[in-house]
Amino acid sequence: MPPISGTVRNFTPTNPRRPAPIDTFHDADGNEFNLQSFGDKVVVLNLWATWCAPCLKELPSLDRLQAQLGSDRFEVVAISVDRRGVEAVRPFFEKLKITHLAIYVEPENRLAQSIGLQVLPSTIIIGRHGLMRRQADRRRRMGRAGGARAGAPLHRSGQYGYPKLTIP
């Protein structure tokens, strides 16, 4: 299999490259994971929530990415930060026909806090050696778009209708 290659746009290098946090999260069956559980894979980590409109618009793209590139070398790990955990996530996966992503939940927000995330969705590329390499730079794209903010604050504010943010 040839190396994975391509152009990464709208991502900025993390500075300094630091190890991925060791905070735990769970799958739909209650099994405990952390980012080191994925071994030497390149991981596209996405934190999202069911109440975040851009998150829901982005999930099908992440599902397609996992379908096309998922392997023993690459995995998309989309983790919901919904307080109701799997109970909140499962209906959205069914409605959006998400079939290639595993359900992961972390309702305590420890992982997001360890990374220092402030908006959802947030996407980080973690290299094969467990170092955070690049983070989606959504700050550049924040502002006004159709009268709504372009990015949901990580702290649930009760506001809905955020416009779509995509990762090309």
Side-chain angles (χ1 to χ4, degrees), residues 8-140:
V8 179
R9 292 181 291 174
N10 297 326
F11 278 79
T12 56
T14 56
N15 190 14
R17 291 182 181 163
R18 59 181 193 207
I22 59 170
D23 300 282
T24 59
F25 50 95
H26 295 88
D27 69 8
D29 296 323
N31 299 310
E32 188 173 272
F33 289 84
N34 63 33
L35 293 169
Q36 288 70 32
S37 302
F38 298 93
D40 285 340
K41 290 184 180 186
V42 171
V43 172
V44 173
L45 171 66
N46 178 267
L47 276 81
W48 69 283
T50 60
W51 46 264
C52 165
C55 299
L56 298 177
K57 289 182 180 181
E58 188 171 79
L59 273 177
S61 296
L62 294 169
D63 191 56
R64 287 190 302 276
L65 182 64
Q66 176 63 23
Q68 292 172 4
L69 296 180
S71 68
D72 60 344
R73 296 175 44 209
F74 180 89
E75 184 145 359
V76 177
V77 177
I79 303 174
S80 166
V81 298
D82 282 276
R83 291 182 186 151
R84 293 187 307 124
V86 174
E87 176 186 331
V89 173
R90 189 164 282 150
F92 284 90
F93 266 47
E94 291 170 6
K95 180 179 178 182
L96 296 171
K97 297 179 173 65
I98 303 299
T99 59
H100 298 97
L101 295 176
I103 293 177
Y104 294 111
V105 296
E106 203 285 280
E108 303 299 320
N109 269 347
R110 289 184 306 266
L111 184 59
Q113 289 173 2
S114 291
I115 296 171
L117 301 179
Q118 297 180 4
V119 297
L120 293 177
S122 285
T123 304
I124 296 172
I125 298 173
I126 300 170
R128 290 189 343 203
H129 302 293
L131 295 178
M132 295 190 298
R133 300 185 55 90
R134 295 188 175 267
Q135 183 168 345
D137 191 356
R138 299 190 193 282
R139 292 169 295 172
R140 263 193 247 159

Side-chain angles (χ1 to χ4, degrees), residues 133-163:
R133 300 185 55 90
R134 295 188 175 267
Q135 183 168 345
D137 191 356
R138 299 190 193 282
R139 292 169 295 172
R140 263 193 247 159
R141 298 177 70 181
M142 293 175 86
R144 295 283 172 187
R149 291 188 316 175
L154 185 57
H155 310 294
R156 185 172 179 175
S157 64
Q159 297 176 2
Y160 296 85
Y162 297 103

